[in-house]
Amino acid sequence: MHSAQGQDDHALRFVLPSNPSAVRETLAEARTVLIGRGVNESAFGTCELVLAEVLNNIVEHAYNDSGEGHIKVELTLNDQELAARIEDSGTAMPDEQLPTGALASLDVPVEDLPEGGFGWFMIRSITQELTYRRKDGVNFLDFTIPLSELG
Amino acid sequence: MNFLTQTHGSIEVITVDADRIDAAVAIQFKDQMREAVAETGDRVILNLENVAFIDSSGLGAIVAAMKLMPDGKKLELAGLTTTVDKVFRMTRMDSIFAIHSDVDSAVQNAA
């Protein structure tokens, strides 16, 4: 299932199969390690939210819920931020660009309220230095999450 | 995923006995909510005090549950934990749901 965590540096590395329960397990392992390294619960919750959205998007869209394929996660914790690199070999983003992540209007009747489209909005709201690139059949997503501003 | 349902007069309180509503369980959650709200009292309060984490799939499932309410009744929320509260505020869904700090205050306050 999962690869072992970090090597001699501070990076945490995971390779997980593309399915929702593996995403859960990875998030639980990341919680244990990052909380152990001093990230507070609230800040980890915010990191977990971003990682969950990114990883679930890969499971659902890049790998189209096939259950096949793997995802590589590398997390580096600094004093002020968590830096992440996520790689997968699934389908490229549409037009090889990140979704804009605009929120649908909430000023609508209840039956028309949006039930999706929140993921990229939250990723974009929380992360900094968000970049996506496609190279040799691999999707690379990089971002940082500032920890100092999280209570 | 277990739901605990209690009735306080005409108020139904549904307590989610799970620590996550995420992509892995969102469909199951929605299906169970469909049953849970089929015959309701005047008010339905979804108690999320045990839920430490929701993602966008979980949020979508809670919005979907609101749409399942009969006769245009509103689904109210109580007991949002830190990260759950953050998700509702960030997506502005806190403007759509009546949100109570906990079940006691939800039961005491008329919507």
Side-chain angles (χ1 to χ4, degrees):
Chain A
M1 292 284 289
H2 298 280
S3 71
Q5 69 186 54
Q7 299 170 359
D8 55 341
D9 59 11
H10 286 278
L12 261 176
R13 296 183 182 84
F14 303 94
V15 178
L16 61 142
S18 175
N19 66 68
S21 59
V23 170
R24 268 190 174 193
E25 287 175 35
T26 299
L27 294 172
E29 287 186 39
R31 161 180 288 278
T32 302
V33 176
L34 293 177
I35 298 271
R37 291 188 189 173
V39 176
N40 71 43
E41 283 284 342
S42 170
F44 180 78
T46 304
C47 297
E48 182 175 17
L49 189 54
V50 172
L51 293 169
E53 297 302 336
V54 166
L55 296 175
N56 286 325
N57 275 326
I58 292 169
V59 171
E60 290 166 27
H61 301 297
Y63 289 120
N64 197 26
D65 275 328
S66 64
E68 297 182 5
H70 285 80
I71 307 169
K72 287 169 71 174
V73 178
E74 183 174 305
L75 304 176
T76 310
L77 182 63
N78 303 312
D79 286 346
Q80 303 295 323
E81 66 182 27
L82 182 74
R85 161 163 286 195
I86 319 286
E87 298 177 28
D88 69 82
S89 303
T91 316
M93 293 280 183
D95 300 325
E96 299 198 5
Q97 291 191 338
L98 291 175
T100 57
L103 270 191
S105 173
L106 302 184
D107 189 17
V108 295
V110 168
E111 62 266 28
D112 295 331
L113 284 171
E115 294 177 35
F118 311 114
W120 279 103
F121 175 79
M122 292 196 284
I123 294 166
R124 286 185 175 278
S125 299
I126 296 168
T127 62
Q128 296 181 351
E129 303 171 79
L130 178 67
T131 59
Y132 166 74
R133 131 183 108 87
R134 172 88 175 175
K135 188 167 184 293
D136 299 333
V138 179
N139 296 311
F140 296 88
L141 189 71
D142 291 274
F143 54 86
T144 63
I145 301 171
L147 300 176
S148 53
E149 294 162 27
L150 306 175
Chain B
M1 181 179 288
N2 288 325
F3 287 177
L4 270 162
T5 303
Q6 288 178 306
T7 304
H8 301 258
S10 61
I11 305 172
E12 182 178 346
V13 176
I14 301 170
T15 300
V16 180
D17 186 18
D19 66 348
R20 303 173 74 85
I21 307 174
D22 61 12
V25 296
I27 291 172
Q28 185 194 353
F29 172 84
K30 187 175 161 183
D31 288 344
Q32 288 188 224
M33 283 297 290
R34 190 191 309 277
E35 289 181 26
V37 304
E39 293 179 23
T40 63
D42 293 339
R43 294 171 61 199
V44 178
I45 296 159
L46 184 65
N47 178 14
L48 296 173
E49 68 183 9
N50 299 321
V51 180
F53 184 81
I54 63 168
D55 61 13
S56 62
S57 301
L59 177 63
I62 292 171
V63 175
M66 163 88 109
K67 299 182 186 179
L68 295 170
M69 295 287 291
D71 308 327
K73 285 176 187 160
K74 295 279 173 81
L75 181 66
E76 301 171 44
L77 307 178
L80 273 58
T81 58
T82 307
T83 302
V84 175
D85 180 63
K86 178 161 191 148
V87 168
F88 275 86
R89 281 187 288 113
M90 199 184 315
T91 58
R92 296 169 204 138
M93 278 293 169
D94 60 342
S95 66
I96 299 300
F97 292 87
I99 298 178
H100 308 276
S101 56
D102 54 36
V103 169
D104 283 349
S105 62
V107 169
Q108 282 160 20
N109 294 339

